[in-house]
Amino acid sequence: MPSAPRLPWGLALPLFAAFASVPFVLPLTLPLLLRASTASSTSATRQALSLHRLGWLPSRLPRVPSPRPPSAPPPAPIQTSSPSPPLPSPPPPETATAADGETGGSEAERCDVYDGEWVRDEEARPLYAPGTCPYVDEAYACAANGRPDSGYTRWRWAPRHCRLPRFNATDFLARLRGKRLMLVGDSMNRNQFESMLCILREALPDKTRMFETHGYRITKGRGYFVFKFVDYDCTVEFVRSHFLVREGVRFNRLGNSNPILQIDRIDKTAGRWKKADVLVFNTGHWWTHGKTARGNNYYKEGDNLYPHFDSTEAYRRALQTWARWVDKNMDPARSVVFYRGYSSAHFRGGDWDSGGSCHGETEPTFKGAIVGSYPLKMRIAAEVVGGMRFPVRLLNVTRLTNFRKDGHPSVYGKPHGRVSKRKQDCSHWCLPGVPDAWNELIYASLVLEPNPSSWKQR
């Protein structure tokens, strides 16, 4: 009986290599392919993710551990795309974005800390008693000025789907040890600065271990303060800059001076900003009224003084100037930078200079158009921050301030009886009050997010 024909060696070797490569070579090369795909996706979305640095925080809710995988899992299917799709940049502010995809086989629970509500907290709020902090200037000292109700001090911001870490002023100071925290902006940032001083002061057994280094008393007329916390070798500072870009003057043919705003030049105080370890910027309210809103012979770029220029576009270009400065001058390995968003005002029947009122408001509002409103300037800020190389943390307080029509000084910006009811303050905030929550969010960010590599690990 004739023997079966034998397969030539020249053909047997390629066929054997082809069959062997599928079960053995593919598992070896697949991780390399996926790693390259993931790296490409991460690089493409780095700028987009920087927008969410504070908007997305790990959940503090208890988690159920994932079951252990079987000892002999089936072969993994071939993936042709990145395991986690990139986040949109920037997302619509009203829309909650899905949580990040799985990383390393476990799902990272995350939530939007600005999707939440104010809850009454009689035990833990306020963080300091009204009238006890000497650093609240007269304009925000509502209780001392005769405001009879105190309910506005009893509210705490609570995200819907996660828990913020409990505020700890001692731990906050420990994280600032040897560092400079600087707030740069307009009077709204001075409002927040005074809140920061008061909540950190509560951690000091000896209150004299905190002082203003120049001996200055806080007033609206002065634009630079440095407070030293001796036991922690740190400072909390305020630098006034209404627009973050340079204010100036021009002289007409008659020799009269007129103010201008150079939207392509950074503010002259920027030399101080460089030295800070934590920066909190803001600008907004000065863009909405007077010469800034009208834009007539006011905005300047280079040598060009515009006869008329739109204030919203000027705001965008000013923020772009600020963003370029941060990208060029700040080092993410050494500093943390926040941009605090627009804080809502609550005038009824007019504006700040035309009879607008918020007097008599004693509770937050939980419905109505104001709750869901989101100003164009915040969309612009989100867009600019999302396009930066530096990972700025957007402190998006607009939504949480929408609710708080009860938190303004109204007629209590001066001792009772000295404020005209036709010129109430429905923009700034009583202290203790709403700005304390902004500073709690800064603390949460420093606790939960990766901090600069040069900071010592605690």
Side-chain angles (χ1 to χ4, degrees), residues 93-342:
E94 295 86 354
T95 304
T97 309
D100 290 348
E102 293 187 1
T103 303
S106 63
E107 183 175 347
E109 295 180 25
R110 293 180 175 257
C111 81
D112 182 355
V113 298
Y114 303 106
D115 176 19
E117 60 186 353
W118 291 93
V119 297
R120 190 105 175 170
D121 191 339
E122 298 287 348
E123 295 183 0
R125 295 297 179 277
L127 295 175
Y128 49 97
T132 62
C133 181
Y135 307 120
V136 177
D137 72 31
E138 182 181 73
Y140 314 138
C142 302
N145 291 336
R147 180 166 178 170
D149 63 307
S150 62
Y152 65 93
T153 69
R154 303 288 184 179
W155 297 91
R156 172 175 54 83
W157 179 251
R160 297 184 195 280
H161 305 296
C162 58
R163 301 190 189 115
L164 295 176
R166 183 181 296 275
F167 183 77
N168 185 324
T170 303
D171 182 60
F172 200 159
L173 282 170
R175 293 172 186 275
L176 294 177
R177 187 181 298 276
K179 299 179 178 63
R180 299 177 66 175
L181 167 60
M182 182 179 293
L183 292 92
V184 180
D186 55 25
S187 58
M188 303 301 293
N189 246 21
R190 183 167 58 85
N191 207 171
Q192 183 178 1
F193 165 70
E194 294 178 21
S195 161
M196 182 71 78
L197 294 178
C198 293
I199 61 178
L200 294 180
R201 179 177 181 270
E202 288 299 296
L204 302 180
D206 182 357
K207 309 302 186 194
T208 65
R209 304 291 286 173
M210 165 191 180
F211 56 88
E212 209 288 323
T213 59
H214 306 95
Y216 297 150
R217 179 176 175 270
I218 295 180
T219 63
K220 64 175 62 177
R222 192 174 296 279
Y224 182 49
F225 299 99
V226 179
F227 276 80
K228 178 81 171 181
F229 290 79
V230 178
D231 297 327
Y232 295 89
D233 189 29
C234 68
T235 58
V236 177
E237 308 175 31
F238 172 73
V239 177
R240 182 170 59 203
S241 177
H242 299 131
F243 303 100
L244 303 181
V245 290
R246 185 162 303 193
E247 298 177 73
V249 294
R250 67 179 179 88
F251 294 91
N252 60 23
R253 295 176 181 178
L254 300 177
N256 298 323
S257 63
N258 295 286
I260 60 172
L261 189 65
Q262 298 171 274
I263 55 178
D264 60 340
R265 297 185 66 189
I266 202 67
D267 188 76
K268 61 184 179 181
T269 63
R272 289 174 171 158
W273 310 351
K274 293 182 181 181
K275 303 173 184 178
D277 301 284
V278 181
L279 277 161
V280 184
F281 290 100
N282 96 292
T283 184
H285 283 270
W286 278 64
W287 296 86
T288 61
H289 54 266
K291 58 186 176 296
T292 314
R294 291 190 297 270
N296 297 326
N297 295 312
Y298 181 64
Y299 294 112
K300 183 177 180 181
E301 280 187 304
D303 295 327
N304 185 21
L305 178 67
Y306 295 104
H308 181 76
F309 199 77
D310 178 67
S311 63
T312 300
E313 180 59 24
Y315 174 80
R316 182 193 306 275
R317 297 191 189 184
L319 276 193
Q320 289 170 342
T321 299
W322 164 82
R324 288 192 295 270
W325 184 92
V326 171
D327 280 342
K328 179 180 178 181
N329 292 279
M330 301 307 295
D331 181 2
R334 192 185 74 84
S335 301
V336 172
V337 176
F338 294 90
Y339 183 84
R340 181 181 57 73
Y342 195 80

Side-chain angles (χ1 to χ4, degrees), residues 18-79:
F19 280 99
S21 66
V22 174
F24 295 104
V25 177
L26 183 58
L28 295 175
T29 59
L30 183 58
L32 298 176
L33 294 174
L34 291 179
R35 183 180 303 172
S37 174
T38 304
S40 175
S41 174
T42 302
S43 174
T45 60
R46 177 179 58 82
Q47 292 183 355
L49 289 174
S50 72
L51 176 62
H52 300 276
R53 289 291 298 274
L54 184 59
W56 297 89
L57 296 179
S59 172
R60 309 294 288 180
L61 296 173
R63 298 175 53 190
V64 178
S66 302
R68 295 176 62 86
S71 57
I78 299 176
Q79 297 187 16

Side-chain angles (χ1 to χ4, degrees), residues 76-94:
I78 299 176
Q79 297 187 16
T80 58
S81 62
S82 172
S84 175
L87 293 172
S89 172
E94 295 86 354

